[in-house]
């Protein structure tokens, strides 16, 4: 078809090509968010479930605890609905973390050239944001973390949140 119907010669072609380029880039970013958030959410859910189970805490309680961020202590008495809510919130946070990283990488493309370093640092940033901002503002019952618990959580955030998100962004997006 003719794409020069109006305007200066070639103007419409450049506009359409630019739109396709932006559309392709947004599709790549969306794929990176879905892969990074999905992998990080799944790995973190498995790590949290296994870790807390090893501490004698049943999986149901882990996800009710996440739901308590919205519902407070009532979440522990509401059964399977709050388990599902906790998992939904957990994956929402994982996809949000992936979204933030991918858009940061759009503006600072150098992050994708060093995905291991960027991912490790991003995992630490996510840990700090969660523990210094999100959790204190939530309705979750407050608890004091031991140094061992902090070290375990930082390691989890590096290896199961930051690295999968950065590696997914590096592999999928911005090629």
């Amino acid at each position: 078809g003719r794409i020069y119907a109006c305007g200066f010669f070639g103007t419409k072609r450049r506009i359409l090509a630019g739109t396709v380029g932006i559309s392709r880039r947004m599709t790549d970013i969306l794929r990176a968010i879905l892969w990074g958030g999905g992998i990080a959410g799944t790995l973190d859910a498995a790590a949290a479930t296994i870790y807390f189970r090893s501490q004698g805490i049943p999986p149901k309680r882990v996800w009710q605890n996440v739901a308590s961020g919205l519902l407070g202590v009532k979440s522990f008495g509401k059964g399977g609905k709050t388990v599902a809510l906790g998992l939904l919130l957990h994956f929402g946070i994982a996809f949000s973390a992936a979204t933030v990283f991918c858009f940061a990488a759009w503006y600072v493309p150098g992050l994708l050239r060093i995905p291991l370093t960027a991912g490790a640092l991003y995992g630490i940033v996510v840990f700090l944001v969660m523990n210094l901002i999100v959790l204190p503002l939530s309705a979750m019952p407050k608890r004091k973390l031991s140094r061992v618990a902090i070290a375990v959580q930082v390691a989890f955030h590096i290896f199961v949140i930051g690295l999968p998100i950065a590696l997914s962004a590096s592999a999928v997006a911005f090629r």
Side-chain angles (χ1 to χ4, degrees):
R2 295 187 172 137
I3 59 172
Y4 307 117
C6 62
F8 294 103
F9 179 77
T11 301
K12 213 170 194 182
R13 176 182 294 224
R14 273 186 253 122
I15 291 171
L16 289 175
T19 303
V20 170
I22 290 171
S23 177
R24 167 78 198 271
R25 193 164 190 190
M26 291 305 288
T27 301
D28 287 346
I29 290 171
L30 181 59
R31 284 187 19 234
I33 291 167
L34 292 175
W35 276 104
I39 292 169
T42 301
L43 290 174
D44 190 44
T49 301
I50 292 166
Y51 174 75
F52 286 111
R53 184 72 187 133
S54 76
Q55 304 298 309
I57 299 169
K60 172 182 172 178
R61 192 86 167 161
V62 172
W63 303 111
Q64 287 175 326
N65 189 58
V66 174
S68 75
L70 282 182
L71 305 176
V73 293
K74 317 185 265 199
S75 72
F76 298 106
K78 297 206 182 253
K81 289 181 181 179
T82 54
V83 172
L85 176 61
L87 279 164
L88 181 68
L89 292 170
H90 170 78
F91 277 94
I93 292 167
F95 285 113
S96 296
T99 300
V100 169
F101 183 87
C102 288
F103 280 101
W106 186 348
Y107 289 103
V108 184
L111 293 174
L112 300 175
R113 288 191 290 274
I114 52 166
L116 295 176
T117 302
L121 292 173
Y122 188 61
I124 294 168
V125 168
V126 172
F127 170 81
L128 292 171
V129 168
M130 288 300 298
N131 284 278
L132 299 177
I133 299 170
V134 176
L135 294 178
L137 293 174
S138 77
M140 183 181 285
K142 307 306 179 226
R143 68 189 193 289
K144 184 90 168 143
L145 294 177
S146 70
R147 288 182 186 204
V148 171
I150 291 171
V152 167
Q153 285 194 18
V154 169
F156 279 178
H157 280 80
I158 290 170
F159 292 105
V160 303
I161 300 289
L163 288 175
I165 289 171
L167 290 168
S168 294
S170 180
V172 174
F174 318 111
R175 290 180 283 155

